[in-house]
Amino acid sequence: MKITATVPGKVMLAGEYAVLDGGRAIAMALDGRLEVQCRVSFANANPAKTRITLTSDLWPQPVSFELPEGRPEVGVATPFVDAAIAALDFFEQKPATLEFSARGNLDPALGAGSSSALRLATLAAAERAANSTKATDLDAIESLAVNLQRLTQPAASGYDVAIQRRGGGIVFCAGQSTVIPTRDLERLTNHVAIIAGGRGAPTGTTMREFLGWLTPVRKARLMSLSEAQVDAWLAFMEGKTDLTPLVTTIAAHRTFMADSPVFPHGPAKILDQVPGVDRTWTWKPTGAGGEDSLLLIGPAEDINPAISAMTSSGWQLSTMGFCREGLQLC
């Protein structure tokens, strides 16, 4: 039996860190995708061990290991290994072999959710393979993917798994997702560009540094600035305002973040010299921060000089755009 699951990339427009304390976040699905194929065999009626094999275009050789009764703890290996081990719990009858093959264009350097996509796709493919005659339990899959994520990160809201499951756009708060109407996504296409490059910023390390800096006073200020930014994004997407309130709130949020240990000062030196910054266009880090992906927000004619400045410094413009499709199984 072979099952294929594909999952889109993701980007957070607003709500980073505030979402960990009950604030709202806006997340969007990206049309880069990661695909995981699951093959399962029950060659033996009751095998003593299950052999798990993992292949991916991210490494040259397969990873293969056997699991006897009483599988090991998860949360100590890679996202792929952990998800493959956890997937065994979906099977009432123990399989003799469980093979997963992953491929896609969610480069980890782009900060587009490659790890969360790998967990979600692996679990979804295995759950369908184990329960092919039943409806897929997406809630259970999402919950398990988030629990695995929390074993390896100092804090995780689960927004990335939520948007990658659903696609389109969501407002995420306290574990609940509100889908953004499709019509409201159209205004983003010509006003948001994603660039990546820099030195990269591992999520776990970056989060620990920021959370260590976030005193109660700073947290209160962050929550206020973040909520104002979410309101401005939603008003812009709904066509209630022009870009001005959005530019203003993003600039204020970025000014606050500039004092934190995860602020990308290198790109800031470049972008803050581009004409019109924080007037006709603006920019912000995304996700956990650091020199990872950045968002450029404004009309194309205003952000094109910023794109040129960053690409001249070795960064790259992402080819991924927003998409409506979430997790898909076949």
Side-chain angles (χ1 to χ4, degrees):
M1 177 186 297
K2 181 180 76 173
I3 301 293
T4 300
T6 65
V7 174
K10 59 82 185 176
V11 66
M12 181 186 282
L13 299 184
E16 49 271 74
Y17 294 109
V19 73
L20 299 176
D21 285 286
R24 292 174 297 164
I26 298 178
M28 309 295 300
L30 300 174
D31 58 10
R33 296 189 76 86
L34 184 138
E35 175 187 286
V36 172
Q37 289 187 347
C38 174
R39 292 181 175 85
V40 60
S41 171
F42 297 93
N44 299 324
N46 186 24
K49 299 178 181 180
T50 296
R51 173 162 291 279
I52 296 180
T53 302
L54 310 177
T55 58
S56 172
D57 53 10
L58 298 177
W59 58 73
Q61 298 296 325
V63 174
S64 187
F65 52 94
E66 288 186 336
L67 291 183
E69 293 290 347
R71 65 171 175 75
E73 293 294 323
V74 296
V76 296
T78 67
F80 203 5
V81 171
D82 282 343
I85 293 173
L88 274 178
D89 290 345
F90 291 129
F91 293 88
E92 293 183 5
Q93 178 185 349
K94 191 174 183 180
T97 62
L98 194 56
E99 301 177 17
F100 296 98
S101 176
R103 63 180 184 179
N105 59 353
L106 293 185
D107 186 338
L110 296 178
S114 56
S115 294
S116 53
L118 193 52
R119 294 186 188 96
L120 182 60
T122 299
L123 294 172
E127 199 273 351
R128 173 64 66 85
N131 302 288
S132 59
T133 61
K134 302 178 182 177
T136 302
D137 190 346
L138 294 176
D139 289 339
I141 293 168
E142 180 179 344
S143 178
L144 180 54
V146 173
N147 287 339
L148 289 176
Q149 185 181 39
R150 288 174 176 161
L151 292 175
T152 58
Q153 291 186 8
S157 67
Y159 88 90
D160 39 11
V161 178
I163 184 60
Q164 288 174 313
R165 167 189 167 181
R166 292 166 179 81
I170 61 170
V171 178
F172 183 88
C173 183
Q176 301 299 312
S177 302
T178 302
V179 176
I180 297 173
T182 299
R183 65 178 183 277
D184 294 345
L185 309 183
E186 302 300 331
R187 299 195 77 192
L188 295 180
T189 302
N190 297 322
H191 291 88
V192 179
I194 305 170
I195 56 172
R199 296 191 297 267
T203 299
T205 302
T206 305
M207 290 180 72
R208 278 187 287 270
E209 291 179 357
F210 183 83
L211 294 174
W213 172 85
L214 198 62
T215 64
V217 172
R218 287 169 175 160
K219 182 181 292 186
R221 179 62 175 158
L222 170 66
M223 297 296 288
S224 176
L225 291 169
S226 181
E227 289 298 304
Q229 189 183 154
V230 169
D231 286 337
W233 274 109
L234 293 175
F236 175 71
M237 284 190 280
E238 293 168 7
K240 295 179 179 179
T241 66
D242 62 10
L243 273 171
T244 303
L246 183 57
V247 168
T248 300
T249 56
I250 289 177
H253 184 272
R254 196 180 72 245
T255 299
F256 166 81
M257 294 292 289
D259 290 332
S260 79
V262 303
F263 187 76
H265 290 285
K269 291 180 180 179
I270 299 170
L271 292 171
D272 289 348
Q273 300 301 312
V274 177
V277 63
D278 294 338
R279 296 193 305 276
T280 60
W281 71 279
T282 191
W283 69 276
K284 69 183 297 291
T286 186
E291 288 202 22
D292 207 335
S293 294
L294 305 175
L295 300 182
L296 306 179
I297 302 104
E301 61 269 22
D302 291 318
I303 63 175
N304 280 339
I307 293 172
S308 297
M310 292 304 294
T311 54
S312 296
S313 300
W315 288 61
Q316 59 181 338
L317 178 65
S318 173
T319 59
M320 288 188 286
F322 302 118
C323 74
R324 298 181 177 86
E325 295 76 23
L327 167 66
Q328 296 181 330
L329 285 159
C330 61

